[in-house]
Short mmCIF file of all heavy atoms in Angstrom, two decimals:
data_model
loop_
_atom_site.label_atom_id
_atom_site.label_comp_id
_atom_site.label_asym_id
_atom_site.label_seq_id
_atom_site.Cartn_x
_atom_site.Cartn_y
_atom_site.Cartn_z
N SER D 1582 104.01 115.34 103.35
CA SER D 1582 103.83 116.79 103.21
C SER D 1582 105.00 117.41 102.49
O SER D 1582 106.14 116.94 102.58
CB SER D 1582 103.68 117.44 104.60
OG SER D 1582 104.87 117.30 105.36
N VAL D 1583 104.71 118.45 101.76
CA VAL D 1583 105.74 119.21 101.08
C VAL D 1583 105.27 120.65 100.97
O VAL D 1583 104.10 120.91 100.68
CB VAL D 1583 106.06 118.63 99.68
CG1 VAL D 1583 104.85 118.66 98.78
CG2 VAL D 1583 107.23 119.36 99.04
N GLU D 1584 106.16 121.56 101.28
CA GLU D 1584 105.84 122.98 101.15
C GLU D 1584 106.65 123.54 99.99
O GLU D 1584 107.88 123.57 100.03
CB GLU D 1584 106.17 123.73 102.43
CG GLU D 1584 105.80 125.20 102.39
CD GLU D 1584 106.04 125.92 103.70
OE1 GLU D 1584 106.15 125.24 104.74
OE2 GLU D 1584 106.12 127.16 103.68
N ILE D 1585 105.94 123.94 98.96
CA ILE D 1585 106.60 124.49 97.78
C ILE D 1585 106.65 126.01 97.95
O ILE D 1585 105.60 126.66 98.02
CB ILE D 1585 105.86 124.11 96.49
CG1 ILE D 1585 105.69 122.58 96.40
CG2 ILE D 1585 106.61 124.62 95.27
CD1 ILE D 1585 104.82 122.13 95.24
N PRO D 1586 107.83 126.60 98.03
CA PRO D 1586 107.92 128.04 98.30
C PRO D 1586 107.47 128.88 97.11
O PRO D 1586 107.42 128.42 95.97
CB PRO D 1586 109.41 128.24 98.59
CG PRO D 1586 110.10 127.15 97.86
CD PRO D 1586 109.15 125.97 97.91
N ASP D 1587 107.16 130.14 97.41
CA ASP D 1587 106.69 131.06 96.37
C ASP D 1587 107.76 131.35 95.32
O ASP D 1587 107.44 131.83 94.24
CB ASP D 1587 106.25 132.38 97.02
CG ASP D 1587 104.97 132.21 97.83
OD1 ASP D 1587 104.23 131.24 97.56
OD2 ASP D 1587 104.72 133.03 98.73
N SER D 1588 109.01 131.06 95.64
CA SER D 1588 110.09 131.32 94.68
C SER D 1588 110.03 130.40 93.47
O SER D 1588 110.56 130.72 92.41
CB SER D 1588 111.45 131.15 95.38
OG SER D 1588 111.55 129.85 95.96
N VAL D 1589 109.36 129.25 93.61
CA VAL D 1589 109.29 128.27 92.52
C VAL D 1589 108.32 128.77 91.45
O VAL D 1589 107.16 129.05 91.72
CB VAL D 1589 108.83 126.90 93.05
CG1 VAL D 1589 108.59 125.93 91.89
CG2 VAL D 1589 109.87 126.32 94.00
N THR D 1590 108.82 128.85 90.23
CA THR D 1590 107.99 129.26 89.09
C THR D 1590 107.83 128.15 88.06
O THR D 1590 107.03 128.28 87.13
CB THR D 1590 108.61 130.50 88.40
OG1 THR D 1590 109.94 130.18 87.97
CG2 THR D 1590 108.65 131.69 89.35
N ASP D 1591 108.58 127.08 88.23
CA ASP D 1591 108.54 125.99 87.24
C ASP D 1591 108.53 124.66 87.97
O ASP D 1591 109.50 124.31 88.65
CB ASP D 1591 109.76 126.10 86.31
CG ASP D 1591 109.75 125.04 85.21
OD1 ASP D 1591 108.72 124.35 85.06
OD2 ASP D 1591 110.78 124.90 84.53
N ILE D 1592 107.42 123.92 87.84
CA ILE D 1592 107.32 122.56 88.38
C ILE D 1592 107.21 121.62 87.18
O ILE D 1592 106.26 121.70 86.41
CB ILE D 1592 106.11 122.39 89.31
CG1 ILE D 1592 106.20 123.40 90.47
CG2 ILE D 1592 106.06 120.98 89.86
CD1 ILE D 1592 104.99 123.34 91.40
N GLY D 1593 108.16 120.73 87.03
CA GLY D 1593 108.24 119.87 85.86
C GLY D 1593 107.17 118.80 85.82
O GLY D 1593 106.50 118.49 86.81
N LYS D 1594 107.04 118.20 84.65
CA LYS D 1594 106.09 117.11 84.41
C LYS D 1594 106.32 115.97 85.40
O LYS D 1594 107.45 115.56 85.65
CB LYS D 1594 106.25 116.61 82.97
CG LYS D 1594 105.33 115.48 82.58
CD LYS D 1594 105.44 115.16 81.11
CE LYS D 1594 106.74 114.48 80.76
NZ LYS D 1594 106.78 113.07 81.24
N ASP D 1595 105.24 115.48 85.98
CA ASP D 1595 105.26 114.33 86.89
C ASP D 1595 106.13 114.57 88.12
O ASP D 1595 106.62 113.61 88.74
CB ASP D 1595 105.77 113.08 86.16
CG ASP D 1595 104.92 112.68 84.98
OD1 ASP D 1595 103.79 113.21 84.85
OD2 ASP D 1595 105.36 111.84 84.17
N ALA D 1596 106.32 115.81 88.52
CA ALA D 1596 107.23 116.13 89.62
C ALA D 1596 106.88 115.38 90.91
O ALA D 1596 107.77 114.94 91.64
CB ALA D 1596 107.26 117.63 89.87
N PHE D 1597 105.58 115.24 91.21
CA PHE D 1597 105.15 114.55 92.43
C PHE D 1597 104.26 113.35 92.09
O PHE D 1597 103.48 112.89 92.93
CB PHE D 1597 104.40 115.53 93.34
CG PHE D 1597 105.26 116.64 93.88
CD1 PHE D 1597 105.35 117.85 93.22
CD2 PHE D 1597 106.00 116.46 95.04
CE1 PHE D 1597 106.15 118.87 93.70
CE2 PHE D 1597 106.80 117.47 95.53
CZ PHE D 1597 106.89 118.68 94.87
N ALA D 1598 104.37 112.83 90.90
CA ALA D 1598 103.55 111.70 90.48
C ALA D 1598 103.77 110.49 91.39
O ALA D 1598 104.89 110.20 91.80
CB ALA D 1598 103.87 111.33 89.04
N CYS D 1599 102.68 109.81 91.70
CA CYS D 1599 102.71 108.57 92.50
C CYS D 1599 103.20 108.79 93.93
O CYS D 1599 103.67 107.85 94.57
CB CYS D 1599 103.54 107.50 91.81
SG CYS D 1599 102.96 107.05 90.17
N CYS D 1600 103.09 110.01 94.42
CA CYS D 1600 103.32 110.27 95.85
C CYS D 1600 102.01 109.95 96.57
O CYS D 1600 101.23 110.85 96.90
CB CYS D 1600 103.76 111.71 96.08
SG CYS D 1600 105.41 112.09 95.46
N SER D 1601 101.78 108.68 96.79
CA SER D 1601 100.47 108.20 97.20
C SER D 1601 100.09 108.57 98.62
O SER D 1601 98.93 108.39 99.01
CB SER D 1601 100.40 106.68 97.02
OG SER D 1601 101.46 106.04 97.72
N SER D 1602 101.03 109.09 99.43
CA SER D 1602 100.72 109.50 100.79
C SER D 1602 100.56 111.01 100.94
O SER D 1602 100.21 111.50 102.01
CB SER D 1602 101.81 109.01 101.76
OG SER D 1602 101.88 107.61 101.79
N LEU D 1603 100.83 111.75 99.88
CA LEU D 1603 100.75 113.20 99.92
C LEU D 1603 99.29 113.63 100.10
O LEU D 1603 98.42 113.24 99.33
CB LEU D 1603 101.32 113.79 98.63
CG LEU D 1603 101.55 115.30 98.57
CD1 LEU D 1603 102.60 115.73 99.58
CD2 LEU D 1603 101.98 115.71 97.16
N THR D 1604 99.02 114.44 101.14
CA THR D 1604 97.64 114.77 101.47
C THR D 1604 97.21 116.16 101.01
O THR D 1604 96.04 116.38 100.72
CB THR D 1604 97.41 114.66 102.98
OG1 THR D 1604 98.33 115.52 103.67
CG2 THR D 1604 97.61 113.23 103.46
N SER D 1605 98.12 117.11 100.98
CA SER D 1605 97.74 118.46 100.56
C SER D 1605 98.94 119.16 99.94
O SER D 1605 100.09 118.84 100.25
CB SER D 1605 97.22 119.28 101.75
OG SER D 1605 98.24 119.50 102.70
N VAL D 1606 98.65 120.10 99.07
CA VAL D 1606 99.71 120.85 98.42
C VAL D 1606 99.19 122.21 98.00
O VAL D 1606 98.03 122.35 97.61
CB VAL D 1606 100.27 120.07 97.20
CG1 VAL D 1606 99.25 119.97 96.09
CG2 VAL D 1606 101.56 120.69 96.70
N LYS D 1607 100.04 123.20 98.15
CA LYS D 1607 99.73 124.54 97.69
C LYS D 1607 100.71 124.90 96.59
O LYS D 1607 101.92 124.93 96.81
CB LYS D 1607 99.83 125.55 98.84
CG LYS D 1607 99.50 126.98 98.42
CD LYS D 1607 99.63 127.95 99.59
CE LYS D 1607 99.32 129.37 99.15
NZ LYS D 1607 99.48 130.34 100.26
N ILE D 1608 100.19 125.14 95.42
CA ILE D 1608 101.04 125.48 94.28
C ILE D 1608 101.35 126.98 94.35
O ILE D 1608 100.43 127.79 94.50
CB ILE D 1608 100.32 125.12 92.97
CG1 ILE D 1608 100.02 123.61 92.93
CG2 ILE D 1608 101.17 125.52 91.76
CD1 ILE D 1608 99.10 123.21 91.82
N PRO D 1609 102.61 127.36 94.28
CA PRO D 1609 102.97 128.77 94.46
C PRO D 1609 102.48 129.67 93.33
O PRO D 1609 102.33 129.22 92.19
CB PRO D 1609 104.49 128.75 94.53
CG PRO D 1609 104.90 127.49 93.88
CD PRO D 1609 103.81 126.51 94.11
N ASN D 1610 102.24 130.90 93.68
CA ASN D 1610 101.80 131.89 92.71
C ASN D 1610 102.99 132.29 91.85
O ASN D 1610 103.93 132.91 92.33
CB ASN D 1610 101.22 133.10 93.43
CG ASN D 1610 100.44 134.01 92.52
OD1 ASN D 1610 100.11 133.62 91.41
ND2 ASN D 1610 100.16 135.22 92.96
N GLY D 1611 102.97 131.94 90.62
CA GLY D 1611 104.09 132.14 89.71
C GLY D 1611 104.21 130.97 88.75
O GLY D 1611 104.70 131.10 87.63
#
Side-chain angles (χ1 to χ4, degrees):
S1582 64
V1583 61
E1584 183 176 341
I1585 305 173
D1587 291 338
S1588 56
V1589 173
T1590 58
D1591 183 10
I1592 302 177
K1594 180 173 71 73
D1595 300 347
F1597 294 92
C1599 301
C1600 291
S1601 56
S1602 297
L1603 190 64
T1604 57
S1605 65
V1606 67
K1607 180 180 179 182
I1608 300 169
N1610 194 14

